Amino acid sequence: MDLDTILLEAEEAMDKAVDYLRSELKGVRTGRASPGLVEFVKVEAYGGESDIRSLAAISVPEPTQIVIKPFDASIVKDIARGLERAGLGLNPNVDGKVIRLSIPPLSGERRKEMVNSVKHMGEQAKVSVRNARRDANKHLDQLVKDKVASISEDAVTGAKAEVDDSTKKHEADIEAAVESKSKEVLQV
């Protein structure tokens, strides 16, 4: 592996960790309805598992309600079952060909639990970023050990500094995402 490949792979792994965190944070309840709360819920339908967003239209007609309208009315019960199994704490109300989810207000204690959950997700993302840094540094050290002729120790030291800078930038992005979601959860 060459320096550019190592740096590129580390950057991609760190980007994926941040992107994954952001997608996970979309599913965290904040006390108001959001399509992100249910769009990635898995539903067993047509002999396989799919996300709700690929099986139904999700809308938010009012701040405390989510309406799910399946593209195929025959899978309404499957979607309702998937929502119950998802552990969101919401009871799907099947209304003919439509499923309605009422979002109850969160208690103060539940909001604090959600913030702790958000912080835990952030820590997991940071661990992924740090693992990418560790792997990149390991590959860079291996280049020095193997004495690859075209790569100087100064170049490897510079590359390690780039990896550290990228790590700091991604950790700051994670902190910002966690802080933003925590504030959103704590708003009454």
Side-chain angles (χ1 to χ4, degrees):
M1 249 196 274
D2 66 340
L3 281 177
D4 291 337
T5 305
I6 293 169
L7 293 173
L8 184 65
E9 286 181 1
E11 186 76 23
E12 285 176 352
M14 292 178 189
D15 286 343
K16 284 182 185 175
V18 173
D19 290 344
Y20 181 75
L21 173 68
R22 287 188 176 129
S23 70
E24 285 293 301
L25 291 178
K26 285 181 185 175
V28 174
R29 266 184 63 193
T30 59
R32 68 178 102 86
S34 165
L37 190 59
V38 296
E39 63 186 8
F40 293 107
V41 170
K42 299 290 185 201
V43 175
E44 287 184 32
Y46 307 120
E49 257 192 13
S50 301
D51 292 337
I52 285 183
R53 68 184 177 154
S54 64
L55 299 172
I58 304 169
S59 62
V60 182
E62 55 189 71
T64 60
Q65 187 177 69
I66 298 174
V67 175
I68 302 168
K69 188 171 192 310
F71 302 128
D72 178 5
S74 67
I75 61 168
V76 170
K77 297 256 189 265
D78 295 330
I79 292 175
R81 219 171 301 126
L83 288 165
E84 288 169 354
R85 270 192 259 127
L88 297 173
L90 303 173
N91 293 325
N93 181 8
V94 178
D95 188 14
K97 297 179 183 177
V98 176
I99 299 170
R100 297 181 192 283
L101 292 172
S102 293
I103 311 294
L106 294 172
S107 67
E109 184 178 315
R110 183 69 178 132
R111 285 180 192 276
K112 288 177 186 168
E113 288 173 14
M114 300 297 276
V115 168
N116 287 338
S117 174
V118 165
K119 287 179 181 176
H120 179 72
M121 289 177 190
E123 285 303 315
Q124 295 293 5
K126 283 183 184 178
V127 167
S128 296
V129 167
R130 291 175 188 142
N131 286 342
R133 178 186 63 192
R134 182 201 62 219
D135 293 344
N137 285 338
K138 195 184 301 180
H139 288 302
L140 291 169
D141 289 339
Q142 193 62 41
L143 289 178
V144 173
K145 274 186 188 172
D146 295 344
K147 295 189 188 293
V148 176
S150 63
I151 300 173
S152 69
E153 285 192 35
D154 288 343
V156 170
T157 303
K160 283 186 174 185
E162 275 187 56
V163 169
D164 284 343
D165 289 345
S166 183
T167 300
K168 288 175 187 165
K169 179 181 96 50
H170 285 86
E171 285 184 342
D173 290 348
I174 290 168
E175 283 293 326
V178 167
E179 186 68 29
S180 171
K181 192 61 172 190
S182 296
K183 284 181 182 174
E184 193 178 327
V185 168
L186 290 174
Q187 285 179 350
V188 178

